[in-house]
Amino acid sequence: MSETRKLYYEDVYKKEFTAKVLECRKGEKGFEIILDQSAFYPEGGGQPCDLGTLNEVTVLDVQEKGEEIVHYTKEAITVGSEVIGKIDWERRFDLMQQHSGEHIVSGLVHEAYGYDNVGFHMSSDVITVDLSGVLTEAQLAEIEAETNKKIWENSEVEITYPSKEELEKLSYRSKKELTGQVRLVRFPGSDLCACCGTHVTHTGEIGAVKILTVENFHEGIRLTMICGKRVMDYLNMVNDQNRQVSVKLSAKIGETAAAVGRLQDENFRLKGQVAHVVDELCRAEADRWEGEGSVLLFHDGLEADQVRKMADAVMQKCSGCCAVFSSNGDGSYKYAMGELNGDLRQFTKEMNAALNGRGGGKPFFVQGSVKASEEEIRQFFRQ
């Protein structure tokens, strides 16, 4: 086993480095490359691994196994050769921003409420943080504001390796019982935590933090948040969406919520008018077919509940089965059929088979859809 010098701890901003290939092993994922030194951070502590290249060979994954840093590739690299390693820096810096922002949020929550961070995951779009207690949205808004205040103070982030004696005198966050050398990361005024990840060296580089959502999770809450460039990407997305909404509603950017409220009120009013018209249409059709035998009706533009309502109204007054069909506009029809004290199960089964349909319900009332033309439907009912 070969020990790899961890360049990512010596200089977190090292984007490129040279190294000697100590081993190249064939493994399940392809090839396992061991270097004498590496700036590739291996997956750990809730932080994904770095990606990049060794010469022109793509690094697919990086894991720490004992003292080795294992770089997984699809291609072999000659043992003893010198390689140039290049980190996907945009990705690395993004992860540094996310991880650092999470530290401040978790530290401030712990200081103010005593809750622990019991779960942490960084994905390509958001961070999820599980806290051991419940916080209101108002309390989280205060945490978010205080977090950004700490960020803009642009304090230097301190990384230390205290002795066992020094460690016993310190109050720091840790998700598990630690043994051996402990790496402490201090964000002045907000957090002191045992952590093996990569972080910015000054809080100002985090840029900003935005808490997006919060939900109850086990005995506490799960929140999602973003930091750094992701905040700008999110604001740009939200602004673009709001701009499109403002254009469609002919409203100013800052007045879209009020415009949507007016639209909802108008929609509610129009739905009431439509419901009244449909009710009148159902009564008219019921009166029209009173005392008649079985009835087949076609009405375009009806919703499923309106088709159901019309079939029910007519079946109450005709002396047979009432079937109502309404086009979906794509070559299919929704339907509802009913017959007082009838049993439509066998008829519906045959109709669905003949007209490429699906649906069912109670013996005396069924609903569903068919993929057939109006003429094909009429032809089936003539049989």
Side-chain angles (χ1 to χ4, degrees):
M1 180 175 289
S2 307
E3 182 176 352
T4 304
R5 181 180 171 189
K6 300 171 181 178
L7 299 177
Y8 49 83
Y9 281 160
E10 298 178 17
D11 180 4
V12 75
Y13 297 97
K14 186 177 286 293
K15 307 176 183 67
E16 187 173 318
F17 66 98
T18 58
K20 182 180 180 180
V21 179
L22 300 180
E23 294 184 54
C24 178
R25 307 186 292 246
K26 187 75 171 72
E28 294 180 0
K29 297 182 181 180
F31 292 92
E32 302 175 358
I33 310 299
I34 312 299
L35 306 175
D36 65 338
Q37 59 181 8
S38 178
F40 281 87
Y41 177 78
E43 180 182 12
Q47 180 173 329
C49 69
D50 285 329
L51 301 177
T53 59
L54 295 174
N55 289 345
E56 300 304 317
V57 177
T58 300
V59 175
L60 304 172
D61 188 17
V62 186
Q63 298 291 328
E64 185 171 16
K65 294 186 176 180
E67 297 300 320
E68 292 182 338
I69 305 297
V70 183
H71 308 73
Y72 294 90
T73 66
K74 286 294 185 183
E75 302 173 46
I77 302 179
T78 304
V79 174
S81 65
E82 187 176 87
V83 293
I84 297 176
K86 294 182 179 179
I87 305 297
D88 181 343
W89 175 248
E90 183 176 349
R91 182 176 184 275
R92 155 74 83 80
F93 187 66
D94 169 64
L95 294 174
M96 286 164 56
Q97 287 182 313
Q98 308 312 310
H99 203 162
S100 301
E102 176 273 325
H103 268 275
I104 299 179
V105 169
S106 295
L108 291 176
V109 168
H110 183 74
E111 180 183 10
Y113 302 102
Y115 299 152
D116 293 321
N117 176 335
V118 294
F120 166 55
H121 176 70
M122 279 192 284
S123 67
S124 60
D125 52 353
V126 297
I127 310 170
T128 59
V129 179
D130 299 335
L131 299 173
S132 61
V134 177
L135 295 173
T136 66
E137 290 190 7
Q139 289 171 324
L140 285 171
E142 291 178 0
I143 292 293
E144 179 184 277
E146 183 64 18
T147 297
N148 285 307
K149 180 180 177 182
K150 293 296 183 183
I151 288 171
W152 301 328
E153 288 175 359
N154 198 30
S155 301
E156 184 174 359
V157 180
E158 304 166 9
I159 295 178
T160 58
Y161 297 85
S163 66
K164 182 179 179 181
E165 293 72 26
E166 291 172 325
L167 205 60
E168 290 175 350
K169 301 175 183 178
L170 295 173
S171 177
Y172 62 94
R173 293 191 305 114
S174 177
K175 292 190 181 70
K176 58 184 180 180
E177 196 70 31
L178 300 174
T179 58
Q181 182 68 72
V182 175
R183 181 175 187 260
L184 290 185
V185 182
R186 181 189 297 276
F187 289 81
S190 56
D191 190 40
L192 178 62
C193 182
C195 184
C196 63
T198 58
H199 313 83
V200 298
T201 58
H202 292 79
T203 60
E205 294 176 85
I206 301 170
V209 162
K210 181 63 186 173
I211 297 175
L212 299 177
T213 64
V214 58
E215 60 183 7
N216 293 331
F217 185 73
H218 295 320
E219 299 301 316
I221 57 172
R222 168 170 287 179
L223 60 87
T224 61
M225 55 180 280
I226 50 176
C227 309
K229 182 178 178 294
R230 296 189 191 186
V231 176
M232 287 303 302
D233 292 341
Y234 175 78
L235 288 175
N236 287 333
M237 180 274 291
V238 170
N239 184 65
D240 180 62
Q241 289 293 309
N242 196 33
R243 181 185 58 78
Q244 293 182 48
V245 171
S246 73
V247 170
K248 293 181 182 296
L249 298 180
S250 298
K252 294 180 180 179
I253 289 287
E255 299 175 357
T256 52
V260 169
R262 291 192 295 271
L263 190 63
Q264 287 179 318
D265 291 342
E266 177 67 9
N267 186 50
F268 182 78
R269 185 181 65 81
L270 291 175
K271 279 187 174 180
Q273 292 179 350
V274 170
H276 178 71
V277 170
V278 171
D279 286 344
E280 290 295 318
L281 180 61
C282 289
R283 279 193 289 270
E285 288 286 23
D287 291 342
R288 176 186 176 191
W289 298 104
E290 184 173 6
E292 299 290 337
S294 294
V295 179
L296 174 62
L297 299 176
F298 286 86
H299 278 281
D300 288 339
L302 296 183
E303 299 296 335
D305 62 323
Q306 296 167 345
V307 171
R308 189 166 57 247
K309 180 179 289 189
M310 180 172 290
D312 179 65
V314 176
M315 69 176 263
Q316 300 296 331
K317 291 196 173 183
C318 73
S319 58
C321 168
C322 174
V324 180
F325 287 81
S326 183
S327 173
N328 291 318
D330 60 357
S332 67
Y333 282 79
K334 60 179 77 73
Y335 71 79
M337 293 191 299
E339 182 177 4
L340 288 178
N341 303 316
D343 189 341
L344 301 173
R345 286 176 292 187
Q346 183 60 34
F347 180 80
T348 302
K349 182 178 179 181
E350 294 173 0
M351 182 187 74
N352 285 334
L355 301 177
N356 193 21
R358 56 186 301 177
K362 298 178 181 179
F364 64 90
F365 198 91
V366 296
Q367 61 190 76
S369 64
V370 296
K371 290 185 178 180
S373 66
E374 179 177 338
E375 180 54 38
E376 289 172 325
I377 297 170
R378 290 186 180 279
Q379 180 62 37
F380 177 81
F381 275 82
R382 291 191 192 106
Q383 297 176 5

